Every structure is written in structure tokens, then in C-alpha cells.
Amino acid sequence: MLLTAHSQRAIIGPRQRGGVITSARPVFVLGCPRSGTTLLQLMLHAHPRIALPPETRFVLPAYEHRLSFGDLREHANRAALAEWITERKETRFQELGVDAGRVAERIVAGPPTLGSALGIALRSYAEEHGKARWGDKRPAYALYVPEILRLFPDAQFVHLVRDGRDCVASLLGMPWWHRGFHEAVATWAQVMDTTRRHARAPGPGSWHELHFEDLVADPERSLRALCGFLGEEYAPETLEPHRVAGIAVPARKTWHRRTHGALDSSRAGSWRQRLTVDQIRLCEAVLGERLARHGYELAGAVRPDPAELLRYRRVQLMRRAAHARRRLLDRTMTRTRESGPVDCRLTEVPELRA
């Protein structure tokens, strides 16, 4: 990807630390919902130089509503944006545990771009934990990589892949999932197809993919490779994510209770017991090629009921059509009305507490 003169300002070059070249690029963890991204978030948060906060709701909504904030070169508009990020319950900013007033002040005094304001909020969380590197984790980012790159042109993406049948089975057991079986299958398929295209777009050193099954079976090997990609020294602390779960996972998220204990690989492949025969048939009929591409063995289920297959196709088409409409609207209308650049321009390295 070619970077503009504006976006090049956002890039912080690598630094020498203890004989190892380290990076200051923001880190974004993504994947299908229930693929293990919270576990990976905690592993990275346990690293002495990296901080990834609990899931928030201000990065993508801010981007989608950016026209409403006006020209951020205006002091009053930056103040309104700062209040929108730090004071609204919907953004979940309060779960970061940082001083909202102080963050708002820094946003107002910071560079006049949306990416800078969002970066200040995320970086403040890292500073609160004495960390040099910041970033974010949210499964939905898998469908919004181009938007994240507009905000953070030097971002590094970590894509966690899990067997689609396990993701579907896990989604169906979540108290917040109300979209049904076909929507769960279509979600995994869309994430796999979209991230496959994204993986080639950001450029070298920007995209890393790993599998949940490898992460829980041989975590040290997976984490060493991940640290190498991020330009960081491997840290043994990353093998004990449960030690930071009480800090980085809100107590209300009871479905993440497993992250508070030792690593457990027993859920890998549990779709065999958690899905019905008919559900397995549909999964393998529509996800089989993608599963095989990622090294997952198929059970060899027979073809599903044609009526069930048709129901799935309708759900899939509706999801993809909605996504395509959103992307078209963003490119043809919203971007043309932007009052200025949106890229993050936080070039200075924060001074960390002792």
C-alpha cells in the first residue's frame, strides 16, 4: 500500500532495545467472534511493552460518524469529539479505567485528525499500565481493515483463525447471540473471505495469521513467532494470560470466564459434541473449502437438506450485500465530504512512568 505524505507522518520507526529491534506501531487483533481473540488480547497485554484494552465501542462508530464532528482543526469540534469519546456510555470508554478529563484535554491539544484523537485514547490506556505500545482488539475489525488503515496507516494486524465449526458452536451458546445458526455460519465465511483479501493489502510486516488450536496446544511457539512479527522480544509472561484477566476483561463478560484460568485446549474440536448432525452437514457443505484451506479435517458429512442450504444462501447474500452497500457509500459519498485527513499523527513516544 502506498502511503501519502500525511500518513507517513504517523509512522514511528523501529528502535533498538537490548540488542533487539522493537517497534512502536499500533497493534490490532481481529478474527471471527468466538475465535479466541480475548485470550490473545490477554496474552499480548501480559507482555511488558504492549497494552490491549477491553473491547471498546468508539473506533468504528467514530469513523462512521466522522462527518458529524466537523472540521477538527476547530478547537470546539475537537472538544466535542473528546466528549463524545470519553463521556458516552455507548463507547465503553469508562472500562479503560483512565482519567476521562485528562484524555479529553490531550485530544483537544493533539493533532487535528480523527485517528489522532482515537490514538490518544488508546495510548492513554497503555500509559496507565506503563506500556510503550498500544492498540485494540475487536473481532469486527476483520471486516473493517481498510477503515482501520485509514485511521492508523502503520497498523500491524494479528488475525486469529479458529475452526469455523467451533466458532459456530460457541456463538450459539452466547447469551448475546440472537441471530441464529445460519447467521453464525455466514459470519465465519465472510470473515474468512474478507481477511483473505486484506492479508495481501497492508504490505510486508503488517499482517500475521495464527490458529487458535496452535495457540492453545503450543503457546510458546505461537507467541514467539507473534513477538517476532511485532518486533518485540519474546516475554514468558505472555504464557500466563490469566494473571491480567482481572484487569483487561470486564467482570460483566461472564462468557470469558475461562480466561481467568490456565490455558485449556479441550474446547478445540468440541463442535463434534456441540453441533447436531444436520448443523455439521451444512457447515461442511458451505465452509468445507475454507476449512480445508486452513488445515482443518472434514468429517465427511453428507449433503444437507436443500431447504436448509437455501436458507443459508439467503442469509449469506443479505450479509454480503449490506457490507457492499456500506463500503460503496463510504467511498462514493462520505469520503468526498471529509473536511480533512483522518490519519493518526502521534509521532512522539510517550514518557512512561517508572
Side-chain angles (χ1 to χ4, degrees), residues 45-59:
H45 189 69
H47 193 285
R49 276 180 38 86
I50 302 172
L52 293 185
E55 278 190 33
T56 58
R57 289 293 186 275
F58 56 77
V59 173

Side-chain angles (χ1 to χ4, degrees), residues 167-198:
C167 286
V168 169
S170 186
L171 279 171
L172 295 179
M174 292 298 101
W176 43 264
W177 183 261
H178 307 293
R179 302 179 185 177
F181 167 67
H182 297 89
E183 186 82 21
V185 178
T187 297
W188 191 84
Q190 186 178 21
V191 168
M192 291 302 103
D193 293 345
T194 306
T195 51
R196 190 183 185 193
R197 294 192 299 271
H198 292 337

Side-chain angles (χ1 to χ4, degrees), residues 300-319:
V302 299
R303 296 287 295 177
D305 184 311
E308 284 294 291
L309 192 57
L310 180 60
R311 288 181 62 190
Y312 167 77
R313 297 299 184 196
R314 288 173 177 167
V315 170
Q316 179 192 43
L317 287 174
M318 290 178 62
R319 281 187 61 90

Side-chain angles (χ1 to χ4, degrees), residues 119-166:
I120 287 170
L122 294 172
R123 191 179 67 178
S124 296
Y125 179 80
E127 293 173 358
E128 182 71 18
H129 292 273
K131 307 291 188 71
R133 294 190 68 176
W134 50 273
D136 203 8
K137 184 277 292 188
R138 191 178 174 189
Y141 292 152
L143 302 180
Y144 290 83
V145 170
E147 290 81 357
I148 297 299
L149 280 172
R150 290 200 71 213
L151 294 168
F152 309 102
D154 56 339
Q156 286 187 290
F157 296 95
V158 182
H159 177 211
L160 186 60
V161 177
R162 186 182 185 186
D163 188 320
R165 295 161 295 189
D166 273 333

Side-chain angles (χ1 to χ4, degrees), residues 32 34-36 159-167 188 192 209-216 267-272 283-284 287-300:
C32 181
R34 302 304 297 168
S35 60
H159 177 211
L160 186 60
V161 177
R162 186 182 185 186
D163 188 320
R165 295 161 295 189
D166 273 333
C167 286
W188 191 84
M192 291 302 103
E209 188 171 279
L210 69 160
H211 288 74
F212 170 81
E213 294 79 10
D214 295 334
L215 185 63
V216 295
R267 301 297 273 185
S270 62
W271 58 266
R272 295 177 178 84
C283 282
E284 298 205 347
L287 305 179
E289 182 180 343
R290 301 175 184 89
L291 290 166
R293 186 188 309 134
H294 285 281
Y296 296 112
E297 185 177 351
L298 302 182

Side-chain angles (χ1 to χ4, degrees), residues 93-106:
F93 178 86
Q94 69 279 5
E95 294 187 354
L96 299 185
V98 299
D99 187 326
R102 175 59 179 152
V103 173
E105 290 175 358
R106 295 175 68 178

